[in-house]
Amino acid sequence: MLNSLFIKNYALIEQLNVDFKDGFSIITGETGAGKSILLGALGLVLGKRADLSILKNKEKKCVIEAEFAIKNYDLKNFFEENDLDFENQTIIRREILPSGKSRSYINDTPAKLNILNALSEKLIDIHSQYQTLELSNTNFQFKIIDALSSNQEIVSEYRLHLKSYQNLVKKLEKLEAFDRESKLQLDYNLHLLQELQKAELIEEEQEIIEQKIEKLNNVESIKLHLAQTIDIGSNEEIGIQNLLSECNSNLMKIVDFSDEYSEIQKRLESISIEFNDIIQDLESFQDDVVFEPTELENLNDRLQIIYSLQKKHHVDSNSELLKIQEELEQKVDAATHSTENISLLKEEIEAKEQILNELALQLHEKRKNTLQELKDKLETKLATLGMVNARFKIDITLSDTYTENGKDVLKLLFSANKGENYGELKKVASGGEMSRIMLSVKAILSNYTKLPTIIFDEIDTGVSGEISNKMGEIMEKMSENMQVITISHLPQIAAKGNHHYKVYKEDILEETYSRLKKLTKPERIHEIAEMLGGKDLSDSAVAHAKKLLN
């Protein structure tokens, strides 16, 4: 249940802190006093979107905080699934900053709006005048029937399988589209693949071939420079090898005189050895440099094959060609195996359809068994609200289509008076009748759903007199199982509350503020008397107010 609500810098509210009790609470006040502001603030803390227009002081942040007692409502799993700390007294806080940014917290843990929305559905039902239109919504009608049928677990299981089924169907549609497209392209892709496979490409091959061709095209120059280098290095008279050898001999004669000389001699000897190896390698290179026209022709032919493939596929390297080859292999493989994959997927879809059909049939049978009970309960409730001739015609038939509510097609028709044709609620029921029907529905649901709190926002619109008295009795009865908070403009309903709060405006200097206070018994008498007879209180209005409260 809702324990308390704290509001700061919201609309006409500078700061407000109100404690709520269990049972039946009433909120009254003149039109425009700020009753809707309270619901707007509560809606924000429960996950509705906000904008900067709600800030009273545009330079300060808006803070709304609601505390809920949730010990007895089996919500621990929800908190664990969403990585939240579970507390018997759970606090939800929402902050709207002057920059426009919004922050939300559940027990001081940051939470996204979708989490707030999901949690709020388990904590509180805020019925607005607009929500009465839901009566004509098929999903809402199924919700009523499923509550009476105890179908919640079956519906949840069905929807999980439905989501999986829909994903499989989408997957099949994509696979079939791919199959059609890939088969059109199969011959061409296969030709491209075979062409690349025949080329037997190697990743670094192009660079190696280009180097070999460059070498063969410059054989004479290479041989000339190798010969000159070898001659400079190994000439018997002035060659570098002989000069290094002479240097080494000279140093050998003084190595015993100093470690420094010995070290430099070793370094020179190392250079001499390395240089000798270089000359040997150059001589080996010289032997290998042979002009081979046939090899050059073969290398050029191979390079032209590579260049041609690169040009055809608009790439610059063998690595890119090999990547294209891999992609073509996958496409060809997918095209050749897609029929098999489609067949397997269809089998999986058929198995899922069997599960859905079984669950949908269970829902259908349980719903059918509940229709008469729902019809009787609704008509009985409405009779107490002055609609003695109200009748419902509810019919459920099985279709071939899967929806989120199973395979049922629901037709709920209504007639308010004797001899009147049945029709859709939104077409044949007046505003006052819709309010009474919705209250009856909520009263019935309260016996089947474990919801902590319900708030009615002027559900008494369009009714008066004895009917409003009966509506008050129904809400009073509902408050035995849950916390009921009602915003009302009718004294008959206001008098039935266990607790009574008044919303009013107060002008201070150049600003208007919305206030809320819990009324004492004398204040309740005064408020209800005003609701009965206006600001100028008469003795009869006061007496009537006392009678209503008693």
Side-chain angles (χ1 to χ4, degrees):
M1 58 169 274
L2 177 63
N3 281 347
S4 64
L5 181 64
F6 172 80
I7 305 170
K8 183 178 180 180
N9 195 36
Y10 178 82
L12 295 179
I13 297 173
E14 183 179 39
Q15 184 164 310
L16 182 150
N17 196 351
V18 56
D19 293 327
F20 291 100
K21 307 296 182 183
D22 58 1
F24 188 21
S25 295
I26 300 292
I27 299 175
T28 60
E30 295 179 0
T31 301
K35 301 187 293 295
S36 60
I37 294 176
L38 281 175
L39 289 184
L42 188 56
L44 275 183
V45 84
L46 295 175
K48 287 189 177 179
R49 299 198 173 275
D51 57 64
L52 289 177
S53 64
I54 58 100
L55 299 182
K56 180 173 178 60
N57 185 331
K58 305 298 182 184
E59 297 179 358
K60 296 182 179 179
K61 69 179 178 181
C62 164
V63 179
I64 303 167
E65 193 171 277
E67 181 183 304
F68 293 88
I70 63 171
K71 180 180 179 180
N72 301 318
Y73 297 101
D74 300 325
L75 292 175
K76 284 187 177 180
N77 287 340
F78 177 89
F79 277 72
E80 289 175 3
E81 290 168 4
N82 291 284
D83 198 23
L84 298 169
D85 294 327
F86 179 84
E87 300 288 348
N88 289 335
Q89 301 297 321
T90 282
I91 295 174
I92 303 176
R93 187 169 81 256
R94 183 89 180 272
E95 297 178 356
I96 314 298
L97 305 180
S99 63
K101 291 184 178 180
S102 169
R103 297 187 298 214
S104 308
Y105 304 88
I106 299 175
N107 292 329
D108 288 328
T109 299
K112 294 182 178 178
L113 290 188
N114 64 316
I115 303 297
L116 290 190
N117 279 311
L119 179 57
S120 69
E121 290 176 1
K122 302 176 184 298
L123 294 177
I124 194 165
D125 177 9
I126 300 179
H127 171 272
S128 63
Q129 296 177 51
Y130 173 78
Q131 194 191 25
T132 302
L133 298 175
E134 282 191 346
L135 282 170
S136 301
N137 183 282
T138 302
N139 289 335
F140 186 73
Q141 294 169 1
F142 271 115
K143 184 178 178 181
I144 301 167
I145 296 170
D146 287 331
L148 270 67
S149 308
S150 301
N151 279 339
Q152 287 87 344
E153 287 188 9
I154 302 176
V155 169
S156 295
E157 184 182 357
Y158 169 86
R159 286 177 179 170
L160 282 174
H161 285 290
L162 178 63
K163 186 175 181 180
S164 174
Y165 168 78
Q166 290 169 336
N167 289 334
L168 288 172
V169 170
K170 287 179 182 177
K171 187 177 178 181
L172 177 62
E173 289 172 353
K174 289 181 179 178
L175 189 57
E176 288 178 332
F178 171 80
D179 181 59
R180 290 190 296 271
E181 181 67 23
S182 62
K183 282 181 177 174
L184 289 173
Q185 298 290 326
L186 178 59
D187 289 342
Y188 180 61
N189 286 337
L190 190 57
H191 165 71
L192 293 177
L193 176 62
Q194 289 172 345
E195 192 175 46
L196 288 168
Q197 289 174 333
K198 185 180 178 181
E200 298 181 343
L201 298 168
I202 300 170
E203 191 162 339
E204 304 295 334
E205 182 182 12
Q206 177 185 344
E207 292 78 5
I208 295 171
I209 291 174
E210 287 172 342
Q211 284 184 3
K212 285 183 177 179
I213 290 174
E214 187 71 15
K215 181 178 176 182
L216 287 170
N217 282 330
N218 293 277
V219 165
E220 293 303 322
S221 177
I222 293 170
K223 291 181 73 173
L224 174 63
H225 292 297
L226 283 174
Q228 289 177 347
T229 304
I230 292 169
D231 185 58
I232 294 170
S234 60
N235 188 284
E236 291 184 2
E237 295 180 5
I238 58 169
I240 294 173
Q241 285 179 316
N242 286 333
L243 294 175
L244 286 173
S245 178
E246 287 182 17
C247 291
N248 188 51
S249 296
N250 284 319
L251 288 176
M252 283 292 295
K253 295 174 181 178
I254 60 173
V255 292
D256 294 334
F257 301 147
S258 169
D259 289 341
E260 291 177 338
Y261 303 154
S262 177
E263 181 65 29
I264 201 88
Q265 183 273 327
K266 288 178 182 177
R267 288 169 60 190
L268 182 62
E269 186 176 22
S270 177
I271 291 171
S272 181
I273 293 170
E274 175 64 18
F275 189 77
N276 290 337
D277 288 341
I278 289 171
I279 294 298
Q280 287 179 6
D281 288 340
L282 290 174
E283 289 171 343
S284 176
F285 293 160
Q286 189 178 36
D287 293 338
D288 293 338
V289 177
V290 179
F291 180 69
E292 297 181 12
T294 303
E295 183 184 1
L296 180 60
E297 184 180 355
N298 291 338
L299 289 172
N300 276 317
D301 290 344
R302 178 62 176 171
L303 194 59
Q304 286 307 310
I305 291 172
I306 292 171
Y307 285 161
S308 177
L309 288 171
Q310 289 177 359
K311 184 178 180 181
K312 186 172 187 175
H313 293 279
H314 307 289
V315 296
D316 300 314
S317 67
N318 273 16
S319 60
E320 291 173 291
L321 283 176
L322 288 167
K323 187 175 181 181
I324 290 171
Q325 180 178 324
E326 184 180 351
E327 291 170 355
L328 286 168
E329 286 171 350
Q330 292 173 356
K331 287 180 180 179
V332 170
D333 182 69
T336 53
H337 291 88
S338 60
T339 302
E340 179 185 346
N341 294 335
I342 287 172
S343 179
L344 291 171
L345 193 54
K346 283 182 176 178
E347 290 178 9
E348 196 174 348
I349 288 173
E350 287 174 6
K352 189 65 70 175
E353 284 176 343
Q354 187 174 347
I355 295 172
L356 286 172
N357 289 337
E358 290 173 0
L359 292 171
L361 186 60
Q362 288 181 45
L363 289 172
H364 177 74
E365 294 301 327
K366 292 187 73 175
R367 285 165 177 167
K368 278 185 67 176
N369 294 335
T370 304
L371 295 186
Q372 189 60 45
E373 179 187 359
L374 175 60
K375 181 178 183 298
D376 293 343
K377 286 180 180 291
L378 281 172
E379 290 174 354
T380 300
K381 286 283 184 189
L382 290 174
T384 65
L385 294 173
M387 297 173 66
V388 294
N389 294 314
R391 294 292 181 268
F392 286 90
K393 185 182 287 185
I394 312 173
D395 188 36
I396 288 181
T397 55
L398 271 173
S399 73
D400 295 326
T401 306
Y402 299 111
T403 71
E404 62 177 305
N405 296 306
K407 297 176 72 176
D408 286 332
V409 176
L410 174 63
K411 185 178 286 187
L412 190 151
L413 301 176
F414 174 71
S415 172
N417 304 297
K418 281 186 176 181
E420 191 175 84
N421 291 330
Y422 285 91
E424 295 180 32
L425 277 170
K426 62 182 178 182
K427 293 181 178 178
V428 299
S430 67
E433 288 168 343
M434 290 285 271
S435 294
R436 282 178 272 179
I437 295 169
M438 178 57 95
L439 178 60
S440 300
V441 166
K442 296 286 187 180
I444 293 168
L445 287 176
S446 68
N447 295 316
Y448 295 90
T449 57
K450 197 174 183 182
L451 190 69
T453 301
I454 186 167
I455 297 179
F456 291 110
D457 180 17
E458 297 190 0
I459 198 170
D460 49 20
T461 298
V463 299
S464 59
E466 182 57 25
I467 302 304
S468 61
N469 190 52
K470 293 295 184 182
M471 291 183 83
E473 289 176 358
I474 289 175
M475 287 185 273
E476 188 177 22
K477 180 69 176 175
M478 289 175 66
S479 70
E480 294 175 4
N481 300 321
M482 64 195 307
Q483 181 188 43
V484 178
I485 300 172
T486 297
I487 296 173
S488 178
H489 64 280
L490 295 179
Q492 294 89 340
I493 291 177
K496 296 202 181 315
N498 306 115
H499 319 283
H500 191 154
Y501 302 85
K502 180 177 180 178
V503 179
Y504 61 97
K505 282 183 179 178
E506 184 177 26
D507 293 330
I508 301 177
L509 298 176
E510 298 299 320
E511 291 197 58
T512 300
Y513 298 86
S514 281
R515 310 288 196 198
L516 182 141
K517 67 175 180 177
K518 187 176 182 183
L519 301 181
T520 63
K521 187 167 184 179
E523 288 172 332
R524 285 192 75 181
I525 294 170
H526 187 277
E527 174 70 6
I528 292 172
E530 276 195 3
M531 294 171 76
L532 287 163
K535 293 288 185 181
D536 298 326
L537 296 184
S538 63
D539 291 341
S540 60
V542 173
H544 192 184
K546 289 179 178 178
K547 184 178 180 182
L548 285 174
L549 282 167
N550 288 333

